[in-house]
């Protein structure tokens, strides 16, 4: 026998019936995005490595430790499996001159890749859904982005999701705060863990986001970026707050809230939950006004967010909100394989009329007895069995047998004419 091969650790197959929950979530997102005027964009999963080095920052954890990068053996190009989608969306907008006729509202869905220890709701291949608004400068679109996410939680029925917001100001303001933060942390180097010591001079802002309990008091006493913001940055932040207040959206200002990528400025936000243990962030984003120019485009403002699909599905499961798995309306029981030429056109007509039908098909051990077919019909979850027996077909009919009490409009076994499918198909769809 050939050696059995398995998927790469942390890169998982998503098969039925679980995949139905993914389809359900994606359909909810597509419908909501459409109502907000956001349009779908699909970018490659492989991008030039330089896009992420330049866009995310050389000293970020993603670039330093987590990217799947390789050299293309055909031409020597340095390529990377995308660790996030924003940089790719911006690259596409620049490459195709998308902003030539005005700002754009976009959304995406797809796999991302990071070489990290797999954990609950986060894997080496994981999936994100995100929205990006390119070319909008005001806090109104920041508020729209947050409102969009809030409406998604409501659409899904989720509770225990809390909004936290902060402002990172502009680069010059962050530089003043960075100098004060480094000076403060240098005075307490004996309290820094190894990760904080590594970041002290490269990315000290990320130290404020530490999850180490031993450093919480130190972080609480650190200089706050909000105290270094100028009038324009404060006006933008206060504008966002006013728009959230006007809609009755609850939030908490978290002065320690930062982002892992270098491209963020002004508004940043996270949606967090206590239902998933320590991995509490389910959606995060913010404004990244400098990224388009940083990647080589004409300067333009932008704001966006991304959510982890696996994590949202975990949260839906924890709150018992996942929908029932889909089942067919009918299961076609066909005792004689010779009847298939007569049966299959009828099933096709039913499907064209909107009735979902699972057809019994022969296996390696033959077509199966009537008893075994009824057992499979019951196991399929279908509400009705369509019986195409010899006597029914001879009369030009099919017998419809309810498999579950109170499951639909037909309450007892009934005969229907094969030539009049359109007339009785609607009854099979009625719950």
């Amino acid at each position: 026998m050939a050696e059995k091969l398995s998927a790469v650790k942390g890169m998982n197959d998503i098969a039925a019936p679980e995949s139905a929950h993914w389809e359900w979530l994606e359909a909810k997102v597509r419908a909501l995005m459409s109502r907000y005027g956001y349009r779908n964009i699909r970018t490659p999963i492989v991008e030039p490595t330089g896009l992420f080095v330049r866009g995310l920052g050389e000293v970020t954890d993603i670039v330093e430790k987590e990217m799947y990068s390789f050299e293309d053996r055909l031409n020597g190009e340095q390529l990377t499996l995308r660790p996030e989608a924003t940089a790719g969306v911006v690259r596409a907008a620049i490459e195709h001159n998308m902003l030539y006729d005005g700002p754009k509202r976009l959304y995406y869905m797809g796999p991302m890749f990071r070489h990290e220890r797999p954990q609950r709701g986060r894997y080496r291949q994981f999936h994100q859904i995100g929205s990006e608004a390119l070319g909008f400068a005001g806090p109104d679109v920041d508020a729209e982005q947050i409102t969009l996410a809030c409406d998604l939680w409501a659409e899904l029925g989720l509770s225990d999701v809390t909004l936290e917001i902060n402002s990172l100001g502009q680069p010059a303001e962050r530089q003043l705060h960075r100098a004060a933060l480094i000076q403060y942390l240098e005075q307490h180097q004996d309290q820094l863990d190894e990760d904080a010591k590594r970041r002290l001079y490269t990315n000290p802002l990320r130290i404020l986001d530490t999850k180490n309990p031993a450093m919480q008091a130190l972080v609480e006493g650190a200089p706050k970026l909000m105290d270094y913001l100028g009038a324009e940055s404060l006006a933008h932040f206060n504008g966002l707050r006013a728009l959230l207040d006007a809609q009755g959206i609850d939030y908490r200002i978290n002065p320690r809230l930062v982002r892992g990528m270098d491209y963020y400025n002004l508004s940043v936000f996270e949606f967090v939950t206590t239902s998933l243990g320590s991995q509490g962030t389910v959606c995060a984003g913010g404004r990244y006004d400098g990224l388009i120019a940083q990647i080589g485009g004409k300067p333009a403002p932008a704001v966006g967010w991304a959510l982890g699909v696996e994590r949202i599905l975990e949260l839906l499961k924890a709150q018992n909100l996942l929908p029932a798995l889909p089942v067919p309306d009918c299961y076609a029981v066909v005792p004689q394989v010779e009847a298939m030429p007569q049966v299959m056109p009828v099933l096709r007509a039913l499907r064209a009329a909107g009735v979902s039908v699972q057809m019994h098909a022969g296996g390696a051990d033959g077509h199966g007895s009537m008893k075994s077919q009824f057992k499979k019909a019951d196991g399929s979850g279908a509400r009705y069995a369509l019986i195409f027996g010899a006597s029914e077909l001879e009369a030009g009919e099919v017998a419809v047998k309810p498999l579950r009490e109170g499951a639909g409009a037909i309450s007892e076994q009934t005969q229907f004419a094969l030539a009049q499918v359109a007339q009785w198909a609607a009854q099979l769809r009625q719950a």
Side-chain angles (χ1 to χ4, degrees):
M1 289 181 64
E3 180 186 357
K4 179 181 176 182
L5 297 175
S6 300
V8 176
K9 184 178 180 182
M11 298 186 178
N12 303 318
D13 300 309
I14 303 162
E18 179 191 0
S19 57
H21 290 148
W22 288 66
E23 292 178 314
W24 169 80
L25 174 59
E26 290 164 357
K28 292 279 191 183
V29 170
R30 287 190 184 97
L32 182 61
M33 291 289 183
S34 179
R35 296 201 295 273
Y36 268 77
Y38 283 69
R39 299 293 175 255
N40 185 237
I41 183 170
R42 306 180 186 211
T43 60
I45 64 170
V46 177
E47 296 274 10
T49 299
L51 173 66
F52 302 112
V53 174
R54 194 191 310 177
L56 308 187
E58 291 189 46
V59 295
T60 57
D61 284 352
I62 296 174
V63 172
E64 286 185 325
K65 301 186 296 184
E66 298 173 1
M67 293 201 313
Y68 281 97
S69 299
F70 58 95
E71 182 179 298
D72 188 330
R73 288 182 294 179
L74 293 178
N75 55 21
E77 282 185 287
Q78 298 300 314
L79 303 175
T80 294
L81 294 177
R82 63 184 184 192
E84 58 96 55
T86 299
V89 169
V90 169
R91 189 269 312 147
I94 296 168
E95 185 172 338
H96 303 292
N97 197 24
M98 290 184 189
L99 302 183
Y100 82 97
D101 60 348
K104 293 291 182 292
R105 290 175 166 92
L106 307 170
Y107 79 93
Y108 60 83
M109 303 178 181
M112 312 295 158
F113 305 84
R114 294 187 192 176
H115 195 285
E116 57 185 349
R117 181 175 60 84
Q119 53 188 292
R120 182 184 181 188
R122 186 64 171 269
Y123 306 98
R124 288 176 175 170
Q125 177 177 314
F126 58 101
H127 298 76
Q128 287 187 339
I129 294 169
S131 69
E132 312 288 356
L134 309 179
F136 300 94
D140 51 344
V141 177
D142 301 30
E144 177 184 87
Q145 288 271 318
I146 291 172
T147 305
L148 173 57
C150 289
D151 285 351
L152 179 58
W153 313 146
E155 186 83 13
L156 298 174
L158 285 170
S159 57
D160 185 32
V161 179
T162 304
L163 171 63
E164 297 184 350
I165 64 173
N166 191 23
S167 177
L168 299 182
Q170 299 291 9
E173 294 160 352
R174 283 203 303 279
Q175 282 300 110
L176 291 174
H177 172 255
R178 184 180 188 275
L181 181 60
I182 290 175
Q183 184 179 30
Y184 169 80
L185 293 172
E186 283 177 334
Q187 297 170 4
H188 301 87
Q189 288 204 46
D190 58 325
Q191 299 178 47
L192 301 181
D193 58 20
E194 290 305 312
D195 196 43
K197 289 177 181 177
R198 180 176 61 84
R199 288 172 164 161
L200 179 56
Y201 298 106
T202 57
N203 199 353
L205 199 61
R206 288 287 288 157
I207 297 175
L208 301 180
D209 197 33
T210 180
K211 301 300 187 289
N212 184 348
M215 290 180 54
Q216 296 307 306
L218 174 65
V219 167
E220 287 294 339
K224 291 179 171 52
L225 178 53
M226 194 71 68
D227 296 334
Y228 292 80
L229 299 187
E232 289 188 10
S233 295
L234 285 172
H236 189 101
F237 188 58
N238 291 332
L240 169 61
R241 293 182 60 192
L243 291 168
L244 296 179
D245 292 340
Q247 299 176 83
I249 295 176
D250 293 328
Y251 58 88
R252 181 176 79 89
I253 297 175
N254 179 0
R256 293 169 50 188
L257 176 59
V258 297
R259 306 292 327 124
M261 278 76 90
D262 283 357
Y263 53 62
Y264 284 102
N265 71 308
L266 293 174
S267 309
V268 290
F269 53 87
E270 286 188 358
F271 289 91
V272 298
T273 181
T274 61
S275 299
L276 296 178
S278 60
Q279 301 301 316
T281 301
V282 294
C283 176
R287 182 162 283 281
Y288 51 94
D289 292 340
L291 182 60
I292 294 177
Q294 197 172 317
I295 292 178
K298 184 179 178 181
V303 60
W305 56 250
L307 63 82
V309 175
E310 287 88 347
R311 204 163 289 182
I312 289 294
L313 289 171
E314 280 275 351
L315 186 56
L316 287 163
K317 182 179 179 181
Q319 297 185 11
N320 296 313
L321 293 171
L322 289 174
L325 293 170
V327 295
D329 295 319
C330 307
Y331 189 100
V333 175
V334 190
Q336 303 297 323
V337 68
E338 295 82 5
M340 283 299 186
Q342 191 175 357
V343 170
M344 291 190 74
V346 177
L347 302 186
R348 190 176 186 189
L350 283 170
R351 292 167 184 144
V355 179
S356 59
V357 185
Q358 183 173 329
M359 182 187 75
H360 181 81
D365 55 350
H367 202 63
S369 66
M370 181 81 91
K371 181 179 179 180
S372 69
Q373 290 192 39
F374 265 106
K375 186 175 181 180
K376 290 184 177 180
D378 188 58
S380 74
R383 291 182 290 136
Y384 302 109
L386 306 180
I387 307 169
F388 293 92
S391 59
E392 284 86 2
L393 292 176
E394 187 176 349
E397 295 178 337
V398 60
V400 177
K401 178 182 175 62
L403 296 175
R404 281 153 186 79
E405 188 174 346
I410 303 170
S411 58
E412 58 185 27
Q413 185 163 323
T414 308
Q415 307 292 117
F416 290 105
L418 299 181
Q420 299 174 346
V421 169
Q423 295 180 19
W424 49 270
Q427 296 182 57
L428 300 179
R429 297 198 305 268
Q430 293 175 18

